[in-house]
Amino acid sequence: MQLCKKYRDFTRMNIYQIYPRSFMDSNGDGIGDLQGIISKLDYLQELGINAIWMCPCFKSPNADNGYDVADYCDIMDEFGTMADMDELIAEMHSRGMKLILDLVPNHTSNEHKWFRESRKGKDNPYSDFYYWYDEKPNDWKASFGGSAWEYDELRGQYYLHMFAVGQPDLNWDNPEVVKAMQGVIDFWVEKGIDGFRIDVIDLISKDIANGVKGLGPRLHEYIHDMFGRDNTAHLFTVGESVVKDIEEMKRHCGEDRGEVSTLFQFDHLECGRADKFTPKKDSLRTFRDTLVYWQQQTDENGLLYSLFTDNHDQPAFISRAGNDRELRYETATDIAAMIYLLKGVPFIYQGQEIGMPAAHYDNIDCFDDVECLGAYREMITEKGLSEAEALEKVNFGSRDNARHPMAWDGSAKCGFTTSEPWLIEHSRAAEVNVASDLAAERSVYRFYQQLLKLRGENDAFTDGRFELISKPEDDHFIYTRTQDGEKWAVICNFEKDQQIKLPFDCEEPALANLGRKTADGAYAAYECAAAKVLQ
Ligand code: TEU
Ligand code: CA
């Protein structure tokens, strides 16, 4: 099914996700900042990027590195000033780039004015901005460890926090909260930003009396309150969500719903994982089969699909599913071809474009992430693991593994900063960095450049019909994309060298990570190609 015009336009975006804290430090304090991002816009434009999703850059005490917002309409001190933000918006728009901010509507920081007022008692306008109870109404656990209910001495009641103690949940059943969040969105729309990624959008409607944590009865009403208004209709919006049911996805993303454009759901990245800290090699077959399912479901229903493998919460997928040592270049380029030539809107996480593997830290003091430090403590105190066993598990699944400073070159602080970085640099930054990748004969960056150029030049990749060629038992991912009589084949081998015979003839590949000249024949491990089908 063809996408509506608005969604078709969004498939022409190549979105780069920036974790500002770790992208580029311009003033030598060891923390990435807005001026650092401005200094790298040409690097991104060269890659073929025309949109940026920036993780939260708002005032925050950083209990959860910006996902605990203390003022939605002001810039985090460490990242710079509102003048820097205005400059970033202008510099991006002058390059034809769109800016997508990260909205965190489910909770604020406990240092937000709303919470500071609310905890003073029941007789102030912010009293019911949060969930307050005399006693814990249930035994909910917080995502980052411990109870989801924290007793506040000043107010003399318990408040809800689904994440860290410093992240009290907003009570969306209070119409004043809805109005306040609409004001935040309007402020940034006025500033000229082009869209939002919405954090844990499924959680904003709850039904505590009936034990419902998320996907509550008024969810669509609240999402529509945010994005179903005249001044938001043009925005690109992507909601992070647990939704995996196509009917529910249609209720979120249908073009006429006035809700969001698309969802980030993680079905294709679970790959049969037990839990995020249990070391296990991801299966590329499971990855393929789940991707194919969602590619077909969204295509049949005219929904926009988000194409991503990495973000700031996930260790690098090439380390989970491929060979990030001897075959790091092959793995990184092969997985890029698998996902970014599908139908949808591509998201590339910082470092993916140079095949950056997951980081590994030698001791727990190198970690920063509130989630993994909570999990580490629980593994030792409640599950009886040794420190070494707990360290191995957090090294496998922590979010810090994706939040190390971006490696720009092989110098001491990898070109990220001139002082001590806020998080220890990647142990392989001397080997894997932008400068070394661009100097290499086979460059991941140049492959991404060619891939994004090929995708942008051929409507078959943005609009074309998807057809699966691989069989469930095959150890490869081969598919075609067809539009206006032009058919392209994408051939991605998995980890075994093998002969691949295609059911059609092709021209010489237009894209090939190992430079092959024929679309079929002997494929090396993680070798890939894209070629026009002769018809
Ligand atoms: O993450 C929400 C969410 O999915 C997490 O609970 C996720 O399961 C975990 O981070 C992955 O291990 C969003 C943001 O992406 C995350 O960075 C924030 O910490 C979280 O919300 C709270 O705002
Ligand atoms: Ca800085």
Side-chain angles (χ1 to χ4, degrees):
M1 180 191 246
Q2 284 298 333
L3 289 170
C4 67
K5 169 133 182 17
K6 176 177 168 184
Y7 287 177
R8 278 189 67 243
D9 290 348
F10 288 152
T11 62
R12 269 73 177 167
M13 290 198 295
N14 297 316
I15 302 174
Y16 190 86
Q17 182 197 353
I18 289 179
Y19 196 70
R21 200 171 189 77
S22 302
F23 190 62
M24 181 65 202
D25 170 22
S26 72
N27 63 347
D29 64 357
I31 299 172
D33 46 54
L34 300 185
Q35 283 297 334
I37 294 172
I38 292 170
S39 73
K40 295 295 181 184
L41 290 179
D42 291 340
Y43 163 83
L44 295 177
Q45 194 169 30
E46 267 300 295
L47 178 60
I49 297 301
N50 53 21
I52 291 174
W53 153 28
M54 183 162 60
C55 286
C57 58
F58 315 110
K59 277 242 184 304
S60 166
N62 290 300
D64 185 18
N65 288 353
Y67 283 94
D68 49 319
V69 179
D71 184 344
Y72 289 97
C73 299
D74 201 354
I75 302 302
M76 188 189 301
D77 297 339
E78 297 92 321
F79 289 172
T81 64
M82 189 57 85
D84 293 324
M85 177 58 109
D86 291 338
E87 186 183 344
L88 175 63
I89 294 170
E91 286 295 333
M92 288 183 64
H93 285 174
S94 71
R95 291 171 173 80
M97 289 174 148
K98 294 180 185 293
L99 177 58
I100 297 150
L101 293 184
D102 201 324
L103 187 69
V104 187
N106 178 65
H107 46 270
T108 68
S109 161
N110 58 354
E111 294 185 17
H112 195 292
K113 175 189 156 214
W114 301 342
F115 188 76
R116 284 189 284 108
E117 289 304 310
S118 186
R119 63 189 292 252
K120 285 178 183 170
K122 300 178 184 171
D123 55 357
N124 73 70
Y126 297 97
S127 167
D128 295 335
F129 262 55
Y130 300 88
Y131 296 101
W132 292 103
Y133 286 80
D134 292 335
E135 297 302 330
K136 293 182 185 178
N138 54 45
D139 61 353
W140 287 357
K141 293 279 176 257
S143 280
F144 299 158
S147 166
W149 298 97
E150 180 73 9
Y151 185 73
D152 183 84
E153 294 292 344
L154 183 63
R155 171 121 174 186
Q157 286 186 301
Y158 290 87
Y159 68 87
L160 175 66
H161 62 91
M162 300 291 276
F163 294 95
V165 167
Q167 294 174 290
D169 280 54
L170 282 166
N171 170 13
W172 272 79
D173 296 335
N174 177 350
E176 293 308 309
V177 168
V178 178
K179 232 184 274 167
M181 204 50 73
Q182 288 175 327
V184 169
I185 291 166
D186 296 349
F187 174 86
W188 288 109
V189 170
E190 278 299 300
K191 280 273 178 191
I193 61 111
D194 306 282
F196 291 100
R197 177 265 187 182
I198 302 99
D199 191 57
V200 291
I201 199 167
D202 49 290
L203 295 182
I204 65 174
S205 174
K206 304 172 175 72
D207 179 353
I208 292 173
N210 292 305
V212 177
K213 284 185 187 176
L215 295 177
R218 300 179 65 181
L219 179 61
H220 294 291
E221 176 193 339
Y222 297 156
I223 299 176
H224 193 270
D225 285 344
M226 286 195 275
F227 302 115
R229 298 174 294 144
D230 291 347
N231 69 325
T232 58
H234 66 291
L235 295 175
F236 171 76
T237 47
V238 49
E240 181 196 36
S241 176
V242 296
V243 165
K244 292 177 188 168
D245 164 69
I246 190 64
E247 291 309 317
E248 184 52 31
M249 200 178 272
K250 281 160 75 173
R251 284 188 283 274
H252 279 74
C253 308
E255 58 179 292
D256 52 356
R257 294 282 302 168
E259 296 192 27
V260 287
S261 315
T262 183
L263 293 179
F264 273 138
Q265 46 97 320
F266 296 83
D267 208 12
H268 60 301
L269 293 177
E270 271 140 29
C271 298
R273 289 177 198 170
D275 71 78
K276 65 174 299 178
F277 292 111
T278 300
K280 174 188 170 299
K281 193 87 188 144
D282 281 350
S283 145
L284 281 176
R285 271 199 203 178
T286 313
F287 171 69
R288 172 197 67 198
D289 297 345
T290 318
L291 256 189
V292 166
Y293 172 77
W294 285 109
Q295 181 73 177
Q296 291 167 336
Q297 288 290 313
T298 48
D299 198 12
E300 279 158 32
N301 291 281
L303 299 182
L304 184 62
Y305 187 47
S306 292
L307 303 171
F308 72 102
T309 56
D310 290 68
N311 66 22
H312 62 295
D313 289 336
Q314 311 271 340
F317 188 65
I318 62 167
S319 302
R320 305 287 303 245
N323 175 339
D324 72 2
R325 291 271 172 191
E326 303 74 25
L327 298 176
R328 183 181 58 79
Y329 165 83
E330 290 82 349
T331 298
T333 49
D334 193 31
I335 288 173
M338 284 182 210
I339 193 150
Y340 294 127
L341 291 174
L342 290 173
K343 186 171 193 174
V345 52
F347 289 81
I348 296 165
Y349 180 60
Q350 66 184 48
Q352 255 186 269
E353 79 279 13
I354 58 170
M356 202 75 205
H360 185 282
Y361 304 110
D362 295 335
N363 74 63
I364 196 62
D365 298 340
C366 297
F367 289 85
D368 164 87
D369 172 23
V370 59
E371 178 192 52
C372 94
L373 291 173
Y376 178 81
R377 281 190 295 275
E378 271 186 17
M379 287 174 199
I380 294 170
T381 55
E382 294 179 26
K383 295 178 186 144
L385 269 61
S386 70
E387 287 183 5
E389 288 163 335
L391 183 62
E392 191 210 352
K393 287 174 80 79
V394 294
N395 251 316
F396 181 79
S398 103
R399 304 187 299 178
D400 285 321
N401 294 23
R403 299 177 175 182
H404 51 80
M406 180 74 179
W408 295 102
D409 61 39
S411 65
K413 301 299 169 198
C414 48
F416 164 74
T417 180
T418 53
S419 67
E420 280 313 304
W422 71 280
L423 185 71
I424 188 171
E425 60 272 10
H426 197 297
S427 56
R428 293 175 61 187
E431 169 210 346
V432 186
N433 59 70
V434 170
S436 61
D437 181 80
L438 291 177
E441 189 201 342
R442 294 199 188 287
S443 154
V444 181
Y445 180 96
R446 283 195 296 276
F447 181 85
Y448 265 74
Q449 257 180 336
Q450 291 158 21
L451 185 155
L452 295 177
K453 187 166 181 295
L454 182 71
R455 179 188 163 90
E457 287 171 349
N458 294 280
D459 288 356
F461 293 118
T462 41
D463 305 328
R465 180 168 47 77
F466 169 87
E467 198 185 342
L468 178 65
I469 304 298
S470 296
K471 305 249 176 320
E473 67 276 11
D474 289 332
D475 279 323
H476 50 57
F477 186 9
I478 301 174
Y479 60 88
T480 62
R481 301 290 314 277
T482 307
Q483 179 74 5
D484 303 334
E486 199 169 83
K487 186 188 283 265
W488 281 82
V490 179
I491 307 105
C492 301
N493 191 22
F494 291 166
E495 60 271 16
K496 279 187 317 204
D497 294 3
Q498 61 175 317
Q499 283 292 332
I500 291 180
K501 181 77 190 90
L502 297 170
F504 37 66
D505 293 329
C506 294
E507 293 180 2
E508 181 178 323
L511 181 73
N513 63 349
L514 296 182
R516 63 180 307 110
K517 296 300 177 200
T518 62
D520 56 11
Y523 270 74
Y526 304 110
E527 182 167 12
C528 68
K532 199 183 280 187
V533 175
L534 291 171
Q535 305 193 66

